[in-house]
């Protein structure tokens, strides 16, 4: 039934929760590590080594699927995450152990970013596939909120190992994936038609309780089964060199690249990585203390993700991305304007102290309504089946690599060009990308995986 699809997609996306916690963990701990004798270089490396691990993980994701199926490969991330968090939690603030733990967690993040969206795309019905794929981003935001909330509840008695241990618990729900079946498409690629039929029947909307229910269910998905058989045959065939000459494939790849560029150049990850430092030292928010301010950001992110689930099937991917990136640029430009005026008139910033938090909150809302969720899921149904796994792996690698590059070069941009100019550059980038994405992104609403494959017009 459709409700079961929602439930299974949510369970499958639990890895996003662990990713969100891993990203947000650095926000609080990087500030506390200053008191442990760690150098600025070490603290910085602890922050971005997660990205390095994710880049490595995304590269090896296709190799893992040669050994394990999707559900077992995702389940395997649970013990690896557990080991990583153990290194972090019981490191006694030993920088080397923390780095090892962060690297392992990063490996899991990269692998899960490749596997989960593809798995959800394959089990989802075409009518609700776009919605279900956003669950992954929603749970990333829930993980970020969880880490922020744990930090807030610890109040003044913040102990790194306790905070890390509570964050490490986030990997436990990943184990629930073991109770879900593989997609029908995956079973057919292994020539297991019986299990493929069972997987399809699990998600039928027209299940009946009468004696003819088996026949009705069989008729319900017989056409879909034949389509998936054709896709499985294409997947099992030898990859043709003509794929490299297919302009539609290159368009999809370029669209994915522009999407992850917009995602990473949005500065969202940097704000999350160093949220505590930003709001503690740069933009204190009046009656709200730093932890409360960060909680507001977390709530806004979740609300934006929920709104994107509602809007994605109402206005489609292209319009959602257009509005998201345009408003991101507007609110980022407003923040840059405030920073400019603040330097010229200190009384202005004292009187209108609420503007930075408001701009950043609306910026986060705009990001999570479109760019954020689609940057994590677009690759899962935007490539032909022959190269879907490789294409997704490359896109996820680029996403985490760009995030790392932005972290490394942002300081230099600010030093050479100043904060205001840097902010306006990124705002302009969002507006330019909005136009590119509108023309590059293909609508997949209501299209089956077979329909998407057919649109590439691949000839042998």
């Amino acid at each position: 039934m459709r409700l079961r699809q929602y439930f299974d997609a949510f369970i499958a996306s639990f890895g996003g929760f662990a990713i969100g916690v891993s990203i947000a963990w650095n926000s609080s701990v990087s500030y506390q590590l200053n008191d442990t004798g760690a150098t600025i270089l070490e603290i910085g490396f602890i922050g971005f080594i997660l990205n390095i691990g994710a880049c490595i993980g995304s590269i090896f994701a296709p190799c893992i699927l040669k050994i394990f199926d999707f559900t077992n490969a995702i389940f395997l991330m649970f013990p690896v995450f557990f080991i990583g968090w153990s290194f972090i939690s019981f490191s006694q603030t030993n920088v080397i152990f923390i780095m090892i733990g962060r690297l392992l967690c990063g490996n899991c993040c990269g692998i899960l970013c490749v596997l989960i969206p593809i798995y959800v795309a394959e089990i989802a019905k075409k009518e609700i596939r776009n919605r279900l794929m956003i669950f992954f981003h929603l749970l990333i935001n829930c993980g970020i909120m969880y880490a922020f909330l744990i930090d807030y509840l610890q109040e003044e008695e913040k102990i790194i190992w306790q905070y890390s241990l509570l964050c490490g618990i986030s990997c436990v729900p990943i184990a629930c994936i073991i109770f879900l079946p593989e997609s029908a498409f995956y079973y057919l690629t292994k020539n297991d038609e019986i299990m493929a039929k069972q997987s399809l029947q699990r998600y039928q909307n027209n299940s009946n309780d009468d004696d003819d229910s088996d026949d009705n269910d069989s008729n319900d998905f017989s056409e879909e089964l034949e389509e998936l058989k054709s896709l499985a045959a294409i997947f099992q065939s030898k990859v043709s060199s003509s794929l490299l000459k297919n302009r539609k494939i290159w368009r999809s790849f370029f669209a994915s690249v522009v999407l992850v560029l917009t995602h990473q150049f949005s500065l969202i990850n940097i704000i999350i990585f160093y949220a505590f430092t930003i709001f503690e030292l740069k933009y204190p928010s009046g009656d709200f203390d730093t932890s409360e301010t960060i909680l507001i950001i977390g709530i806004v992110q979740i609300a934006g993700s929920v709104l994107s689930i509602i809007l994605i099937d109402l206005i489609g991917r292209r319009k959602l991305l257009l509005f998201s990136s345009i408003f991101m640029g507007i609110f980022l430009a407003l923040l840059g304007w405030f920073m400019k005026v603040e330097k010229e008139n200190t009384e202005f910033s004292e009187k209108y102290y609420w503007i930075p938090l408001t701009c950043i909150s609306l910026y986060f809302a705009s990001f999570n309504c479109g760019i954020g969720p689609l940057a994590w899921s677009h690759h899962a149904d935007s490539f032909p089946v022959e190269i879907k796994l490789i294409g997704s792996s490359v896109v996820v690698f680029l996403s985490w690599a760009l995030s790392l590059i932005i972290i490394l070069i942002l300081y230099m941009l600010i030093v050479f060009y100043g904060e205001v100019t840097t902010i306006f550059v990124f705002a302009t980038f969002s507006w330019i990308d909005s136009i590119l994405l509108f023309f590059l992104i293909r609508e997949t609403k209501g299209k089956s995986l077979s329909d998407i494959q057919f649109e590439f017009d691949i000839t042998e």
Side-chain angles (χ1 to χ4, degrees):
M1 298 177 68
R2 181 168 292 191
L3 182 61
R4 181 171 288 172
Q5 284 196 62
Y6 279 97
F7 178 77
D8 284 8
F10 193 81
I11 294 297
S13 300
F14 269 137
F17 188 82
I19 294 172
V21 173
S22 299
I23 293 172
W25 172 90
N26 190 72
S27 174
S28 174
V29 174
S30 64
Y31 191 80
Q32 297 178 55
L33 284 172
N34 288 311
D35 301 325
T36 65
T39 66
I40 295 177
L41 182 61
E42 290 173 335
I43 293 172
F45 201 79
I46 288 172
F48 63 69
I49 197 172
L50 183 80
N51 299 65
I52 296 175
C55 288
I56 297 171
S58 62
I59 293 173
F60 283 98
C63 301
I64 292 174
L65 277 185
K66 291 183 178 180
I67 304 173
F68 304 97
D69 56 28
F70 274 93
T71 54
N72 284 321
I74 295 172
F75 174 82
L76 183 63
M77 298 304 103
F78 163 55
V80 179
F81 255 127
F82 183 82
I83 294 171
W85 281 111
S86 297
F87 269 101
I88 296 170
S89 302
F90 304 113
S91 65
Q92 296 182 340
T93 65
N94 183 297
V95 172
I96 299 299
F97 285 167
I98 293 177
M99 287 183 181
I100 293 173
R102 291 284 284 171
L103 185 66
L104 289 173
C105 290
N107 292 154
C108 296
C109 290
I111 292 169
L112 292 176
C113 285
V114 176
L115 301 187
I116 291 177
I118 293 178
Y119 175 79
V120 173
E122 289 184 358
I123 68 170
K125 288 290 184 181
K126 61 182 180 181
E127 294 83 2
I128 57 174
R129 187 178 62 251
N130 283 335
R131 292 182 192 174
L132 300 190
M133 290 165 67
I134 293 178
F135 282 2
F136 180 60
H137 180 71
L138 172 64
L139 281 165
I140 288 177
N141 285 335
C142 289
I144 291 171
M145 182 62 180
Y146 171 82
F148 287 167
L149 184 61
I150 293 299
D151 177 74
Y152 174 75
L153 294 176
Q154 283 191 309
E155 295 179 346
E156 299 300 326
E157 301 177 1
K158 295 177 182 177
I159 302 175
I160 292 178
W161 76 265
Q162 289 182 350
Y163 176 68
S164 300
L165 190 62
L166 290 170
C167 285
I169 296 173
S170 65
C171 67
V172 175
I174 296 175
C176 296
I177 189 73
I178 202 68
F179 298 108
L180 302 185
E182 292 296 323
S183 68
F185 172 74
Y186 179 84
Y187 283 128
L188 290 172
T189 62
K190 303 300 179 182
N191 300 314
D192 192 341
E193 187 172 334
I194 294 176
M195 292 301 297
K197 288 181 178 179
Q198 292 181 12
S199 180
L200 281 174
Q201 187 169 353
R202 178 182 177 89
Y203 301 118
Q204 287 308 301
N205 297 323
N206 301 322
S207 58
N208 299 302
D209 295 326
D210 54 32
D211 294 336
D212 298 326
S213 61
D214 289 340
D215 293 335
N216 288 334
D217 284 341
S218 176
N219 292 331
D220 285 339
F221 59 75
S222 58
E223 182 178 347
E224 184 178 354
L225 182 64
E226 291 304 315
E227 289 182 351
L228 291 177
K229 283 182 180 179
S230 299
L231 283 182
I234 294 172
F235 177 83
Q236 293 170 327
S237 63
K238 185 177 180 180
V239 177
S240 172
S241 59
S242 63
L243 292 176
L244 296 176
K245 303 175 184 177
N246 189 303
R247 293 182 179 181
K248 293 184 178 180
I249 293 177
W250 282 108
R251 172 185 168 176
S252 289
F253 178 73
F254 187 52
S256 297
V257 171
V258 173
L259 189 52
V260 297
L261 273 170
T262 310
H263 177 196
Q264 299 305 338
F265 277 73
S266 68
L267 306 181
I268 292 290
N269 283 352
I270 293 176
I271 296 175
I272 295 298
F273 266 50
Y274 302 104
F276 194 91
T277 302
I278 291 171
F279 290 107
E280 177 77 10
L281 302 178
K282 184 65 179 175
Y283 293 118
S285 302
D287 296 333
F288 298 112
D289 63 26
T290 304
S291 296
E292 290 171 339
T293 300
I294 293 174
L295 284 180
I296 292 173
I297 296 297
I299 293 170
V300 167
Q301 289 212 113
I302 293 174
S305 300
V306 173
L307 184 60
S308 70
I309 293 174
I310 298 171
L311 293 177
I312 187 69
D313 284 333
L314 293 177
I315 65 176
R317 286 183 177 184
R318 296 170 67 202
K319 291 181 181 179
L320 193 62
L321 286 170
L322 179 67
F323 294 140
S324 175
S325 52
I326 286 176
F327 281 103
M328 282 169 59
I330 290 173
F331 294 122
L332 200 58
L334 286 174
L335 179 62
W337 167 79
F338 175 86
M339 295 166 66
K340 183 176 184 295
V341 175
E342 178 189 33
K343 290 182 178 181
E344 300 170 353
N345 185 357
T346 55
E347 293 182 359
F348 179 84
S349 61
E350 293 175 359
K351 184 178 181 180
Y352 299 102
Y353 62 85
W354 50 269
I355 291 181
L357 177 59
T358 302
C359 288
I360 292 175
S361 296
L362 291 173
Y363 180 63
F364 269 78
S366 302
F367 170 83
N368 285 284
C369 279
I371 294 295
L374 289 172
W376 289 119
S377 62
H378 175 262
H379 62 83
D381 64 354
S382 298
F383 294 104
V385 293
E386 300 97 315
I387 60 169
K388 180 167 59 177
L389 189 57
I390 297 297
S392 296
S393 177
V394 171
V395 170
V396 172
F397 171 83
L398 287 174
S399 181
W400 284 100
L402 285 168
S403 176
L404 176 60
I405 292 170
I406 291 299
I407 292 173
L408 295 175
I409 69 171
L410 182 62
Y411 177 76
M412 291 186 290
L413 290 174
I414 293 174
V415 169
F416 285 107
Y417 301 105
E419 293 177 341
V420 176
T421 301
T422 301
I423 290 294
F424 279 118
V425 166
F426 284 113
T428 304
F429 189 85
S430 292
W431 290 325
I432 294 173
D433 281 359
S434 67
I435 299 172
L436 291 174
L437 290 172
F438 184 78
F439 289 104
L440 288 172
I441 294 293
R442 296 187 308 154
E443 286 292 357
T444 58
K445 176 185 175 182
K447 296 178 181 177
S448 67
L449 296 179
S450 181
D451 294 333
I452 295 172
Q453 178 75 19
F454 179 76
E455 288 181 349
F456 284 104
D457 293 329
I458 297 174
T459 57
E460 295 298 331

